[in-house]
Amino acid sequence: MVSVKPEVQQRIEELRQLLQQASYDYYILDAPTMEDAVYDQLYRELQDLEAEYPQLISPDSPTQRVGEKPATQFNSVKHNIALYSLENAFNIDELKTWEQRWRRQLSSGDEVESPNKAEYVCELKIDGSALALTYENGVLVRGVTRGDGVAGEDITQNVRTIRSIPLRLNVETRHVETRQRLNADAAGSGASLQGRIEIRGEAFLPLDVFNQINQEREKAGESLFANPRNAAAGTLRQLDPKVVDRRRLDFFAYTLHLPGMDDAETPNTQWERLQLLHHMGLKVNPNKKLCQSIEEVAQYYEYWDTERLNLPYMTDGVVVKLNSFALQENLGFTQKFPRWAVALKYAAEEAPTRVENILVNVGRTGALTPLAQMRPVQLAGTTVSRATLHNADRIAQLDIRIGDTVVIRKAGEIIPEVLRVLKELRPKDTTPFIMPSDCPVCGQPVVRQKEEAVTRCVNTSCPAILKGSIEHWVSRNALDIRGMGEKVVEQLVDKGLVTSVADLYDLTPEKLLELERMGEKSAQKLIDAIAKSKNQPWARVLYGLGIRHVGSVIAETVTKKFASVEQLMQAKVTDIEGIYGIGIEIAESVHQWFQVSANQILIERLQASELQFVATTPCKEDVNTNQKLAGKTFVVTGTLPTLKRNDAKALIKKHGGKVTDSVSKKTDYLVVGEDAGSKLKKAQSLGVVQLSEEQLLELLGDG
């Protein structure tokens, strides 16, 4: 090992201090004091010295922000201090109700009785991902996602790439008592922080960075992030910290815990601790405000309802906290929330646009779904040009017409929906939209059952139903026939080569050569993929049959009870309904499907083609080992930002949760993606808790 001269060690420390101060001025104060060229030169000098004397490299050095090796996985770790969720309020009346409640809950004889004495700290609620940071002796040692509040994922390598998170805290704090407690010397400099400090905050993507990332992804042919929140969550869970570094996440700190310190030694209000966080080198939202009354809080909330649109980041509300820590301690926590804080949320973002057309799609079950095609508009960080109108009842309720100006919003901040029609702007020549009486694909009459809101085509030979059935059969979660895309299916049906899924197994390379752009190699590859699908298990085959209400999870549940198709065909409705998670509607649907002679013939043909209709013993890895979500029932609907629905279901089951395909009173959580449809509405009517993909991953904690 090369010996180190005192002047070399002194120069390394000097370089680190200069670079740390320059980063603080640039990222925290937004007041650069060093030219980029000078910074780069000093940074290179430090790199060279640390390369020559590797024994002097320390984890808080500016050169150590980005790790060299990607992580293989993230480990679940327990939080040193639990992270609680916040109770929501959606208007000023609910805010005042919250104030009345905490005042009633104060113990008798408390020094604060007058409504004029309580102070509130208001901070903008940043739309990002919560982080828990741990500093030991002033040095960042751990960064963890929120997870379920008790445990989260250790993503320290990724956290170190965020420039607004200091690797070493600044000891030049202006709070004298705290500075003394933290072992600053008499001159107020040169000493290190002692002990453990916990900091909470929000990592987020600035809007300009988010837009730039999406532009780059679009050029590269990659899927776009739905909004900055999802992009931030996805970035933090990247295994390669270099990718995280390129995405330029930002961070606002909002909570400081100093374990083991008496109130007399530390700031005893939230406002003072926010100031202390800033002096320690953390970035604190500059738009915070100390309010003297609930009326002042209301004014702050109303001001930012419009001004937030001019911010360089997304915010969806205001976090209101009692300023006094004495009051906070007196009030304590419920099982889920602190009683001394509330999230005052803004209404879902709305935007006006024009309906250019109303289309009607026909799905594989024959359901006719009207769809509003609109002039593209920006809404909650995404471009929206389509919104489902669900069914004839919804169209009649809205009285929506082609040419109308409508107000749209994202239901649950996720699903685009038409909120109302601005009839005062309606053109004179519009006419009411009427659902077609004949199928728009096959021209046969459609029907609507009295007990249903859905209009259906019941022609089993309808090309739309047939194409949808085949696309479902070959999909990834069913028989997974690679190469059988939408265009291939369309040609097979249009040319009469396939009239049912059983016909797929009679195809030959010669028949496939009749299709456009199908060469000999491609034809043989597709035939091999079809043959390979014969090995898919009984549960996938049942799901692939497309029985109404039978998703992949229900299919798996049913096949565990009925190990063969013969057993299922002979089962009574009561036998099927007796399975946990399956109600009468699903049971009747399954039973009725197998009573249809055409379906029985289909089963016989598929059996003759050697498809699997008998269950095999599950592998050990299929058995849940983590019971974190035991006793909780989930439904997953819509298109998630990064996860396939099947992957989301697998994660839930891995952690001991149950997944069903229909929403009921027994459902604990609905995981919602884009275009969720009727399941979302039913969940809303039943009061089922809704989760985004990000919230699901946080709930899972260890992913």
Side-chain angles (χ1 to χ4, degrees):
M1 182 178 294
V2 181
S3 60
V4 183
K5 297 179 181 180
E7 57 267 28
V8 172
Q9 188 160 357
Q10 182 179 353
R11 179 57 177 167
I12 287 177
E13 290 299 323
E14 181 183 14
L15 288 169
R16 287 174 182 166
Q17 290 178 14
L18 287 170
L19 293 171
Q20 286 168 352
Q21 184 62 46
S23 293
Y24 175 77
D25 294 338
Y26 184 89
Y27 292 104
I28 308 302
L29 301 182
D30 196 22
T33 56
M34 184 182 292
E35 295 181 3
D36 290 348
V38 176
Y39 183 95
D40 293 341
Q41 182 179 347
L42 296 179
Y43 187 90
R44 177 61 63 85
E45 182 183 350
L46 178 59
Q47 269 188 323
D48 292 342
L49 286 173
E50 289 181 342
E52 187 175 354
Y53 304 98
Q55 66 269 36
L56 296 182
I57 297 176
S58 65
D60 62 319
S61 172
T63 64
Q64 301 302 300
R65 277 201 176 272
V66 185
E68 292 299 320
K69 295 181 179 179
T72 56
Q73 63 178 5
F74 296 125
N75 296 319
S76 178
V77 293
K78 188 174 181 180
H79 289 299
N80 296 318
I81 300 171
L83 280 78
Y84 282 79
S85 300
L86 291 177
E87 181 181 3
N88 289 328
F90 292 95
N91 52 55
I92 300 303
D93 288 339
E94 291 185 7
L95 174 70
K96 292 179 178 179
T97 299
W98 167 77
E99 184 200 32
Q100 293 167 2
R101 184 166 61 249
W102 74 252
R103 288 190 181 281
R104 287 196 304 269
Q105 290 165 343
L106 280 177
S107 59
S108 59
D110 190 274
E111 62 178 8
V112 178
E113 294 181 357
S114 170
N116 297 322
K117 289 186 178 180
E119 294 180 326
Y120 300 93
V121 174
C122 292
E123 302 167 66
L124 294 178
K125 188 175 181 297
I126 308 303
D127 208 11
S129 290
L131 291 179
L133 309 179
T134 303
Y135 286 83
E136 295 281 358
N137 300 327
V139 177
L140 177 67
V141 296
R142 196 173 82 162
V144 183
T145 63
R146 183 187 181 281
D148 62 0
V150 177
E153 288 181 315
D154 188 338
I155 57 168
T156 305
Q157 275 200 94
N158 291 346
V159 167
R160 292 172 63 86
T161 70
I162 303 175
R163 307 291 164 152
S164 47
I165 295 179
L167 301 180
R168 174 181 286 277
L169 295 176
N170 177 17
V171 298
E172 296 290 342
T173 169
R174 296 172 190 169
H175 192 283
V176 178
E177 293 177 350
T178 304
R179 184 178 66 216
Q180 293 172 346
R181 175 64 179 81
L182 297 178
N183 289 342
D185 63 12
S189 64
S192 62
L193 300 171
Q194 299 298 314
R196 189 182 74 216
I197 292 176
E198 293 287 325
I199 293 170
R200 304 288 185 261
E202 197 84 2
F204 64 95
L205 272 179
L207 289 174
D208 60 340
V209 176
F210 169 74
N211 291 330
Q212 182 181 339
I213 290 173
N214 263 353
Q215 289 172 8
E216 293 171 353
R217 291 176 71 86
E218 186 174 20
K219 289 180 181 178
E222 299 174 341
S223 60
L224 304 185
F225 286 118
N227 52 55
R229 180 182 62 239
N230 289 340
T235 297
L236 287 171
R237 302 188 78 257
Q238 287 284 329
L239 293 175
D240 189 348
K242 292 182 179 179
V243 174
V244 184
D245 184 49
R246 289 196 297 270
R247 299 243 177 112
R248 293 182 289 159
L249 286 166
D250 209 338
F251 179 82
F252 282 135
Y254 53 68
T255 301
L256 170 65
H257 296 283
L258 299 167
M261 297 180 68
D262 296 333
D263 287 342
E265 300 172 317
T266 62
N268 58 10
T269 66
Q270 169 68 8
W271 188 254
E272 290 178 319
R273 290 211 180 181
L274 287 175
Q275 293 176 314
L276 180 55
L277 281 167
H278 176 70
H279 297 320
M280 284 180 168
L282 276 299
K283 195 171 183 178
V284 177
N285 192 284
N287 298 307
K288 62 187 181 299
K289 185 176 183 180
L290 180 62
C291 297
Q292 302 301 318
S293 67
I294 207 72
E295 288 74 23
E296 196 173 341
V297 172
Q299 292 172 5
Y300 177 92
Y301 170 76
E302 290 166 354
Y303 173 80
W304 284 108
D305 191 11
T306 54
E307 284 299 313
R308 65 194 174 104
L309 301 177
N310 298 320
L311 291 170
Y313 47 80
M314 296 288 289
T315 176
D316 59 355
V318 173
V319 175
V320 183
K321 299 176 184 176
L322 281 167
N323 190 33
S324 167
F325 284 168
L327 276 180
Q328 290 185 15
E329 184 177 356
N330 190 309
L331 287 167
F333 298 80
T334 68
Q335 189 173 1
K336 295 182 178 180
F337 312 117
R339 293 190 177 93
W340 41 265
V342 67
L344 184 54
K345 304 290 286 291
Y346 289 115
E349 186 177 329
E350 301 175 2
T353 186
R354 184 183 178 88
V355 178
E356 297 180 336
N357 200 3
I358 297 179
L359 309 175
V360 178
N361 292 336
V362 182
R364 64 179 176 85
T365 63
L368 274 63
T369 304
L371 189 73
Q373 196 170 40
M374 305 168 297
R375 182 175 297 167
V377 63
Q378 283 291 316
L379 186 64
T382 60
T383 301
V384 176
S385 60
R386 291 189 172 194
T388 179
L389 298 173
H390 302 293
N391 50 52
D393 289 347
R394 180 58 176 163
I395 287 178
Q397 182 184 30
L398 289 168
D399 185 22
I400 189 170
R401 307 179 184 185
I402 297 173
D404 272 344
T405 298
V406 297
V407 175
I408 61 171
R409 71 175 178 184
K410 284 198 172 181
E413 299 180 2
I414 296 173
I415 311 302
E417 71 171 359
V418 175
L419 184 61
R420 60 185 178 274
V421 176
L422 301 179
K423 295 181 181 179
E424 63 272 19
L425 301 179
R426 171 175 288 168
K428 294 181 179 180
D429 58 349
T430 62
T431 56
F433 181 84
I434 300 174
M435 287 289 287
S437 57
D438 295 330
C439 174
V441 176
C442 70
Q444 294 298 306
V446 295
V447 298
R448 177 180 174 182
Q449 301 294 337
K450 290 183 179 179
E451 67 276 9
E452 290 189 346
V454 179
T455 304
R456 296 183 187 278
C457 173
V458 293
N459 174 21
T460 56
S461 300
C462 175
I465 297 176
L466 178 57
K467 290 175 184 176
S469 298
I470 296 173
E471 288 172 6
H472 176 71
W473 178 267
V474 305
S475 65
R476 180 181 176 186
N477 295 343
L479 279 295
D480 193 20
I481 301 179
R482 305 294 175 90
M484 185 74 72
E486 182 179 340
K487 291 183 179 179
V488 173
V489 171
E490 186 173 351
Q491 289 190 69
L492 288 172
V493 174
D494 291 344
K495 290 181 178 293
L497 296 174
V498 172
T499 58
S500 82
V501 295
D503 291 337
L504 294 174
Y505 298 91
D506 295 331
L507 290 173
T508 63
E510 292 73 24
K511 288 183 179 180
L512 290 178
L513 288 175
E514 297 179 26
L515 306 183
E516 295 178 8
R517 299 184 180 181
M518 181 68 70
E520 292 183 4
K521 288 185 178 179
S522 298
Q524 187 57 54
K525 193 173 181 180
L526 186 51
I527 291 297
D528 292 341
I530 293 172
K532 185 179 178 181
S533 72
K534 296 179 181 181
N535 298 321
Q536 294 289 5
W538 164 215
R540 281 183 173 243
V541 174
L542 178 59
Y543 171 62
L545 292 173
I547 302 173
R548 194 172 172 208
H549 303 310
V550 177
S552 57
V553 176
I554 292 295
E556 188 175 332
T557 303
V558 169
T559 55
K560 286 179 180 177
K561 172 71 174 178
F562 301 102
S564 69
V565 68
E566 285 78 15
Q567 291 180 10
L568 184 55
M569 292 174 76
Q570 295 168 10
K572 299 177 181 178
V573 172
T574 52
D575 297 330
I576 303 171
E577 188 186 5
I579 303 173
Y580 177 84
I582 294 182
I584 183 64
E585 190 176 15
I586 297 174
E588 288 180 344
S589 178
V590 173
H591 182 265
Q592 290 170 5
W593 193 92
F594 282 102
Q595 305 312 304
V596 178
S597 59
N599 294 335
Q600 294 171 359
I601 294 172
L602 174 62
I603 296 297
E604 292 175 2
R605 288 191 62 192
L606 291 172
Q607 285 179 314
S609 295
E610 300 180 348
L611 273 293
Q612 302 298 314
F613 286 91
V614 177
T616 56
T617 304
C619 299
K620 289 183 179 179
E621 52 264 35
D622 292 334
V623 180
N624 292 336
T625 57
N626 187 326
Q627 297 299 306
K628 189 172 186 178
L629 301 181
K632 300 296 183 183
T633 301
F634 292 74
V635 173
V636 182
T637 185
T639 303
L640 302 178
T642 61
L643 291 174
K644 297 290 186 183
R645 272 193 287 183
N646 198 43
D647 296 334
K649 293 173 181 178
L651 279 174
I652 293 168
K653 289 190 289 183
K654 174 186 174 184
H655 290 77
K658 289 185 177 293
V659 186
T660 64
D661 277 347
S662 58
V663 178
S664 69
K665 292 181 180 179
K666 295 180 180 179
T667 304
D668 295 295
Y669 297 101
L670 178 72
V671 182
V672 185
E674 292 280 359
D675 301 322
S678 59
K679 291 182 182 178
L680 175 61
K681 285 191 172 292
K682 187 169 184 181
Q684 290 171 334
S685 67
L686 294 174
V688 174
V689 176
Q690 299 163 37
L691 299 176
S692 64
E693 177 186 296
E694 174 196 357
Q695 292 168 326
L696 170 65
L697 294 175
E698 287 181 351
L699 186 65
L700 295 177
D702 60 0

